[in-house]
Amino acid sequence: MNHVLEKICHPATLQLLQQQSRSRLERMTAAFRKPRRQLLTLVAVVLGCIWVSQAVASVMFRQAADPQKLMVWIPLGLFSYSIWHLVKIVTRSPAEPFEWTPAEQELVCAAPISRTQLISYRMASILSSALAKSLCFSIVMIPDLNIWVAGFLGMFLGLILVDLIRVGFGLLFHGLSRRGKIACRTTVLGVLFGFAGWAMLNCLASPELAGDVASPGALTFIQGFIGEMLTLITSPIGSVTLWPFRPFSEVVLAEHFSGRTIGFAALSCIVVMAAVVLVYRLDAWVIRRTIIKEQLAFSRGVCRQENQDGQIAKSGSEVHVPWRLAGFGSLAWRQLLGGYHYRITLAISLGIPTLLCCIPLLANHEPFFMLLNIVGGVVFYSFLLLPSALMLDFRRDVSRIVLLKSLPIGPVAVTLGQLAAPVLICSAFQWVVLLIAVSSGSVIPWQALFAAMLLVPINTLIFAIENFIFLLAPYRPNQEGIDVFLRTILTFTAKGLLFSLGLVAAIAWAFGSKVVAGSLGMSAVGAGVIFGVGAWLMTLAVTAAFVSGIVRLYDRFDPSQDAPSIS
């Protein structure tokens, strides 16, 4: 038995995982001795208390949900999570299905251990992340769970299956040929947009269309769209698609320990184990495919490569940058080229919010109310969705901080260059939405132009907050584990508090501008102008404060102490 376990998981990798956990704890303890880290820890504790208090309040005062609805929503949530991973895989096409740090590539991947043991080592991070997520889920869902242990176990196994689907599909996609990848990408996106288009047509054919799109932010229309998508669950196709995830919902919502509960738990374990075996088989298949492709490429391309070496060196000797601007333009141009490399992902990430923001145009609103509706929509989606899609700033270059600090470019120019690309792309998305609104005749052009000017500092503020939080506690891209999950929860809590404070400040200034306009004898239009100009100036001031904070954090960033661990 021990011999079989050693074939799957090498004792040295287990010892390495233990030492990594110990080193992370010691690194965190050493970092807390710094004043900046102590303040950051205090803020994290406060945010954690706020999140825990919200969870406790929801547990104590929330009514239990309908079990029949949960029996539908749990497998649907797991399925949707899996689809999200599939879309990311087919649009990004990573060079390696597994994410390895430089230290792991140099030491772990080159160690005398089998590929199976290497994959088992990588899956340890999947288990830790699924453990934290399922624990939070089972705590929040206490009013809905009859057996807490069963709820925790069912969600833990379900999340493991979702991650295994992500890894397995990533391996499959990586092993396909170029034509196979194009066909796979077309199939996944075609099926997804086909179902979405079917639901959209049904919503547009609804007799309540005018009332749905006239709701604030077209939320009623979006709810109807989701309802149309849910009708697919009751169809035979939906039942077959969600079948692999139904055993987990049966375990989560088990009313008492019985033979039925034990049977579904055993079935869930079998499904997870089958997925594990499939991942190992797919990895072996990918290795064989990679060897064959490299041998074929070597036999066909050696002579051609020898003839082209001089041309490649000549073409790569000079990089054309449209504008340099003391280094600011060079950094911004580099990030824009990085965005072009992920153009398919960006097209999907920006296309969906564009369609959602244009839904209110189907209603018959007053031009000013229509403008408020559209601006509120673009700000909401820019704040919620785009920061994670437009990681073309310090978050992308955390491993290149040493190189950035060695360049003859000042901290201010580096900061502005890193923020320029995401702010420009986000602004372009908003300008397109406003241009569509103006072209349809629903918005007055000068009001749209004023809104576009106001949105630029708001976009800068959004990405300045993201980078400010990141430089306070940097992490590696695609990092997995419990610490990343907890950091994500605290980050969303902090952003929610900042959004709430901004909303309170906007409401307070709205009343203040009305009082000022009344004291000066101005009309409602004058009050609106005072509100807009004041909001624009306040946004500029807050944005300048966060940008200054980023400049200071970058200037004081010590790569030997503050950079995330590469192990």
Side-chain angles (χ1 to χ4, degrees), residues 472-495:
L472 283 175
Y475 56 90
R476 290 184 289 104
N478 301 319
Q479 184 178 346
E480 297 177 337
I482 296 179
D483 52 343
V484 178
F485 176 70
L486 296 178
R487 182 187 291 111
T488 302
I489 291 179
L490 296 179
T491 300
F492 270 101
T493 304
K495 290 168 65 176

Side-chain angles (χ1 to χ4, degrees), residues 209-542:
L209 175 63
D212 292 344
V213 298
S215 61
L219 292 180
T220 306
F221 181 87
I222 296 175
Q223 291 176 355
F225 175 80
I226 296 175
E228 291 292 337
M229 294 291 289
L230 290 178
T231 57
L232 294 173
I233 301 175
T234 59
S235 65
I237 297 177
S239 300
V240 172
T241 304
L242 296 181
W243 181 87
F245 303 98
R246 293 195 182 277
F248 305 103
S249 61
E250 294 285 349
V251 176
V252 170
L253 301 176
E255 296 181 357
H256 51 80
F257 283 110
S258 61
R260 175 185 174 88
T261 303
I262 296 175
F264 277 111
L267 180 59
S268 301
C269 293
I270 292 174
V271 172
V272 172
M273 292 303 299
V276 171
V277 174
L278 182 61
V279 166
Y280 286 125
R281 296 291 179 86
L282 284 174
D283 182 74
W285 174 76
V286 169
I287 294 297
R288 293 193 299 269
R289 291 273 299 178
T290 302
I291 293 175
I292 293 174
K293 287 192 294 185
E294 290 181 351
Q295 290 176 345
L296 184 61
F298 180 80
S299 61
R300 290 180 176 179
V302 170
C303 296
R304 190 184 347 177
Q305 184 68 29
E306 289 178 352
N307 294 331
Q308 293 179 351
D309 278 343
Q311 299 177 2
I312 294 175
K314 181 179 180 180
S315 61
S317 60
E318 184 178 357
V319 178
H320 298 282
V321 180
W323 59 84
R324 297 187 183 272
L325 302 177
F328 158 73
S330 301
L331 294 177
W333 182 250
R334 173 184 169 275
Q335 298 289 13
L336 289 174
L337 291 178
Y340 177 78
H341 179 70
Y342 295 103
R343 55 190 178 277
I344 298 179
T345 304
L346 290 179
I348 296 175
S349 302
L350 299 176
I352 295 176
T354 301
L355 293 177
L356 295 177
C357 292
C358 292
I359 290 176
L361 297 177
L362 301 174
N364 187 18
H365 287 313
E366 292 294 330
F368 184 71
F369 183 76
M370 178 69 74
L371 178 65
L372 292 179
N373 209 340
I374 292 177
V375 170
V378 296
V379 171
F380 173 76
Y381 291 116
S382 299
F383 185 80
L384 183 66
L385 299 179
L386 297 192
S388 59
L390 299 177
M391 298 182 64
L392 303 172
D393 41 38
F394 283 109
R395 295 170 293 171
R396 177 174 177 247
D397 287 339
V398 61
S399 60
R400 304 180 182 91
I401 292 290
V402 177
L403 179 60
L404 289 176
K405 295 182 76 70
S406 65
L407 296 175
I409 306 176
V412 176
V414 171
T415 301
L416 296 179
Q418 293 289 80
L419 295 178
V423 172
L424 181 60
I425 296 175
C426 183
S427 300
F429 146 72
Q430 297 169 347
W431 295 339
V432 168
V433 174
L434 291 174
L435 182 60
I436 294 174
V438 172
S439 301
S440 65
S442 302
V443 176
I444 300 175
W446 73 266
Q447 293 180 349
L449 180 61
F450 181 78
M453 294 174 57
L454 180 62
L455 287 172
V456 174
I458 293 178
N459 299 334
T460 308
L461 177 60
I462 291 173
F463 289 96
I465 292 175
E466 288 286 336
N467 284 266
F468 182 81
I469 296 175
F470 173 78
L471 289 178
L472 283 175
Y475 56 90
R476 290 184 289 104
N478 301 319
Q479 184 178 346
E480 297 177 337
I482 296 179
D483 52 343
V484 178
F485 176 70
L486 296 178
R487 182 187 291 111
T488 302
I489 291 179
L490 296 179
T491 300
F492 270 101
T493 304
K495 290 168 65 176
L497 289 176
L498 291 174
F499 184 79
S500 301
L501 292 176
L503 183 62
V504 171
I507 295 175
W509 175 240
F511 284 104
S513 60
K514 184 177 181 180
V515 172
V516 172
S519 63
L520 297 177
M522 294 183 176
S523 61
V525 177
V529 173
I530 292 176
F531 172 78
V533 174
W536 191 67
L537 293 176
M538 286 189 293
T539 304
L540 282 177
V542 177

Side-chain angles (χ1 to χ4, degrees), residues 70-90:
L70 289 178
M71 194 66 70
V72 174
W73 279 104
I74 290 177
L76 180 62
L78 295 174
F79 174 74
S80 302
Y81 198 12
S82 303
I83 292 298
W84 167 247
H85 286 308
L86 299 190
V87 172
K88 288 201 303 182
I89 290 172
V90 299

Side-chain angles (χ1 to χ4, degrees), residues 169-201:
F169 188 80
L171 289 168
L172 176 63
F173 190 75
H174 179 68
L176 295 176
S177 62
R178 185 176 180 273
R179 291 183 178 179
K181 289 180 180 179
I182 295 176
C184 182
R185 182 183 296 115
T186 304
T187 302
V188 172
L189 297 180
V191 171
L192 180 63
F193 287 116
F195 283 124
W198 174 82
M200 181 69 71
L201 291 177

